[in-house]
Amino acid sequence: MAEIEQFLLKDFFYTPEAGQADYNLSRSFAEPMAVGELLALEPDAREKLNAMALGYPGVDGSAALRAAIAARYEGFSANDVIATTGLDDALAALSLSLIAPGDRVIVQTPAYQTYLTVPQWRGAEVVEWQAREENGWLPDLDELEALLKQPASWLMINFPNNPTGVMPDETYFEQLLEIVRACGTLLISDEIYAGLPASEASFVPLCCRYGRAVSLHSVSKTLGVPGLRIGWIVCRDEETRRRIKDLRFHFNSFIGAPSE
């Protein structure tokens, strides 16, 4: 069995040297809230938490949680949502359920390392769609069109982008979606930074605009509560959701009830 590549960024974060830093500017999320601050946002939240039974919660997130997430996406219902234990859980579920050895996947780079290493570990050919500094870190759409002339199992993108911070305008997204629609490729859109001040306020999640798009998000980066470990997958395509759910039943398909 192939050995997965070392995760260099996280390995560094957990070294004694990194832990001793006076100021950690590397975490890429808003200033974290304390539990008391969070509970103060909702009337009776503390009483509800105290009364909560700690049995198994709903599979793939409770109906209430999935409905609240779906409300962020026009035309979606709770059935279109899979809640996950943070976004790393979602990324793993996508790779394990949707990628087979020999598949070809295209990944926008530079990128969060997991986008590249987990598909590689699954035996996929990973092709980088490389953004360049001289182009303002926007990856070239003509290059994407050329890459998609050869069949690909999926295209993985991330806007606003980590690590460059680039956020395309509406014209760019329209052209990107036109290219992807023409070949019917599954589009995985990591939108975890959507909603930060630097991003476009008018951004429409790509799952709302293309039937084979999967939008990913979480509470970690924009809301400053990464410790809750709540992420989600939103997708109209029923077959894609079925494959993800079937895979998660073999691992963990529950979200911690207090976090919900």
Side-chain angles (χ1 to χ4, degrees), residues 10-29:
K10 287 188 178 179
D11 281 350
F12 169 73
F13 284 160
Y14 292 108
T15 61
E17 294 79 10
Q20 292 168 8
D22 291 328
Y23 302 101
N24 188 342
L25 305 181
S26 65
R27 290 176 171 170
S28 69
F29 60 81

Side-chain angles (χ1 to χ4, degrees), residues 3 16 19 35 67 74 86 96 105 114-115 119 141 146 172 176 181 191 210 247:
E3 186 173 342
V35 173
E74 186 175 353
L96 291 172
V105 299
T114 298
Y115 301 169
L141 292 172
Y172 185 96
L176 185 152
R181 282 194 196 97
E191 298 163 5
Y210 172 49
L247 180 280

Side-chain angles (χ1 to χ4, degrees), residues 25-45:
L25 305 181
S26 65
R27 290 176 171 170
S28 69
F29 60 81
E31 186 70 18
M33 280 196 278
V35 173
E37 292 178 276
L38 183 62
L39 294 176
L41 295 176
E42 181 181 342
D44 304 324

